[in-house]
Amino acid sequence: MKKKSNGTVIALVMVISLFFLWAISNNLLSSVVKKMMTLFSIDQAKAEFVETSYWFAYFLFPIPIAMFMKRFSYKAGIILGLVIAAAGGLLFLPVTRVNSFPLYLCAFFIVAIGMCFLETAANPYVTELGDPATAPRRLNLAQAFNGLGAFIAAMFLSKLLLLDSDNAAPGAEIHTFRMTYAIFAAVLLAIAVVFIFTKLPRIQTEDEDSSATGLISFNVLKRRHLRNGVIAQFFYNGGQTAVNSLFLVYCINYAGMDNGRATTLFGLYMLCFLLGRWIGTTLMVRFRPQDLLTVYAVANVLLCLAVCLAGGMIAVYAMMGISFFMSIMYPTQFSLALVDLKGETKSGSAFLVMAIVGNSILPLLTAYVQKSLSNPGISYLIPLVCFAVCAWYGWKGHKVTD
């Protein structure tokens, strides 16, 4: 029994490391959007195609990934995802020499395919590796390390990517971009090797999956709480990415900051996110996850309204508050949506990850509105609606009724 417990702990530690990795990848995108605006002299709406190309992979691949994992295992999906993401990172070595915007988008798309493997595998694996009653708290704990990765990406790596070309040697900013992704690819490959030689415990639903007919179950969408969870995840992801990706642009273009101050504030913004995750995970010991989700989402509705009405530095500080209260939404909604799915958990996870396609649509819409209006804060009405949907899911939509 003790040996099994130790194996579970090792598995959790290894899988939690994946949350850190995809946070680095995902949260560099906000800096990349600003970087593309500079490198290719394009406006914010066009640069947002970086986000669109990256997150569109999350719409196309979760079902094939779930089929792959149902045929093989969570471990196989994790290893393949690490290798694919590493291949995308290494693609930046030639792409940065050609310096073509469409080729950048292709490289980001491939990185995203790999990260999609990791998210489709790791989220349900963590929820099932232990007591179902504590699954939301366990997933929020894992996602807290995702917040740590987001903070490191925002506070430190964003400064490298947004190296001021006026003060840098010719080609230095491109070289820094290239090496950042090359080193990241090397780390991914090293971790893939560790997973290859580590035995992860199989869980009950994997055995159920192997005996079930078919590699993907569309019948799982008949479960109302999962269906609602997919809708809530679509809006949450779109709202989160809209706020994240526009933070640096807002600070620099509308609040009059230089790159250095803006990236420092972006680091603090992600620190708020990290603190929100840790505090939220602790509060779940005493409060129901769905109640905490509702309160956090309502707080963000009010903060988005403050951004719309206030502007300037007040809006920047309100965005930091939004970051804090966004923290628990994704993992809490994910775990609530997977309740009672049993052998259809991998299929349910695939549809929840597909909902991340909201990141491809809503940030682009928000950027277009922000560019088109004299008051850029009005664009935050779009994230406001997103968080209102999350509040509804925490209040009523999560309930298992069938």
Side-chain angles (χ1 to χ4, degrees):
M1 189 73 178
K2 186 176 180 181
K3 184 177 180 182
K4 182 178 179 181
S5 178
N6 288 340
T8 299
V9 170
I10 291 170
L12 276 172
V13 170
M14 290 187 63
V15 174
I16 283 173
S17 72
L18 303 178
F19 287 76
F20 179 85
L21 290 174
W22 79 63
I24 294 286
S25 176
N26 297 356
N27 289 281
L28 280 177
L29 294 178
S30 301
S31 304
V32 169
V33 168
K34 189 69 179 70
K35 187 71 170 179
M36 295 297 107
M37 292 171 66
T38 303
L39 287 180
F40 295 100
S41 300
I42 56 179
D43 63 26
Q44 177 186 343
K46 290 180 181 177
E48 281 291 338
F49 276 102
V50 169
E51 299 268 14
T52 300
S53 64
Y54 188 96
W55 297 115
F56 193 61
Y58 278 70
F59 177 71
L60 294 179
F61 286 93
I63 288 179
I65 290 169
M67 294 170 67
F68 174 86
M69 291 193 303
K70 195 167 185 178
R71 174 65 179 82
F72 298 99
S73 66
Y74 283 123
K75 178 180 176 179
I78 289 169
I79 293 169
L80 184 56
L82 288 165
V83 171
I84 293 173
L90 292 174
L91 270 179
F92 284 105
L93 293 174
V95 165
T96 50
R97 297 186 187 281
V98 177
N99 211 34
S100 162
F101 186 56
L103 290 180
Y104 273 97
L105 299 184
C106 291
F108 281 117
F109 183 78
I110 293 172
V111 171
I113 295 172
M115 293 300 158
C116 187
F117 265 91
L118 301 188
E119 293 211 41
T120 306
N123 281 296
Y125 191 71
V126 167
T127 64
E128 296 184 61
L129 202 61
D131 183 358
T134 58
R137 182 149 44 101
R138 195 161 52 249
L139 188 53
N140 269 281
L141 175 62
Q143 288 279 0
F145 289 89
N146 180 275
L148 178 61
F151 169 68
I152 290 173
M155 180 62 87
F156 303 109
L157 298 181
S158 65
K159 292 183 183 295
L160 292 176
L161 292 187
L162 293 177
L163 185 67
D164 190 347
S165 58
D166 292 334
N167 300 323
E173 54 181 347
I174 291 293
H175 177 73
T176 302
F177 188 100
R178 179 188 308 134
M179 294 312 298
T180 298
Y181 277 94
I183 293 170
F184 186 58
V187 171
L188 293 173
L189 289 173
I191 293 176
V193 172
V194 174
F195 267 94
I196 288 171
F197 292 103
T198 302
K199 184 177 181 180
L200 297 183
R202 286 181 68 86
I203 53 181
Q204 183 180 353
T205 55
E206 289 201 281
D207 297 325
E208 292 172 1
D209 283 346
S210 62
S211 62
T213 57
L215 293 177
I216 192 73
S217 171
F218 287 90
N219 286 333
V220 74
L221 289 173
K222 294 179 180 178
R223 303 297 300 274
R224 183 174 177 272
H225 73 287
L226 172 69
R227 234 175 21 248
N228 292 341
V230 171
I231 294 169
Q233 291 293 65
F234 174 89
F235 282 99
Y236 167 73
N237 282 288
Q240 181 199 34
T241 302
V243 177
N244 286 357
S245 64
L246 298 181
F247 182 84
L248 282 170
V249 175
Y250 190 96
C251 287
I252 294 169
N253 291 0
Y254 301 108
M257 301 180 197
D258 59 23
N259 284 354
R261 187 184 178 200
T263 51
T264 298
L265 283 177
F266 190 44
L268 295 175
Y269 170 93
M270 285 301 178
L271 180 60
C272 290
F273 186 81
L274 175 60
L275 291 174
R277 279 251 166 99
W278 283 108
I279 292 171
T281 302
T282 303
L283 289 174
M284 282 184 191
V285 176
R286 296 192 61 186
F287 301 99
R288 297 192 308 168
Q290 55 266 40
D291 295 337
L292 212 56
L293 170 63
T294 304
V295 170
Y296 272 43
V298 169
N300 268 355
V301 169
L302 297 176
L303 287 166
C304 284
L305 191 60
V307 174
C308 295
L309 298 176
M313 286 305 299
I314 294 177
V316 172
Y317 295 137
M319 290 178 210
M320 289 184 173
I322 292 171
S323 183
F324 178 92
F325 287 109
M326 285 192 299
S327 56
I328 68 158
M329 291 185 187
Y330 180 88
T332 303
Q333 291 181 167
F334 203 103
S335 56
L336 290 173
L338 291 181
V339 169
D340 196 42
L341 296 190
K342 300 177 182 176
E344 295 182 318
T345 297
K346 285 192 180 105
S347 296
S349 176
F351 290 115
L352 288 167
V353 173
M354 283 180 70
I356 294 177
V357 74
N359 290 350
S360 292
I361 301 168
L362 298 178
L364 196 63
L365 175 62
T366 308
Y368 179 79
V369 171
Q370 188 174 81
K371 183 185 74 168
S372 304
L373 298 177
S374 56
N375 178 8
I378 297 299
S379 62
Y380 283 78
L381 287 174
I382 297 172
L384 184 153
V385 171
C386 295
F387 296 129
V389 173
C390 296
W392 164 78
Y393 187 69
W395 179 41
K396 281 191 173 181
H398 73 281
K399 294 180 180 178
V400 180
T401 59
D402 48 15

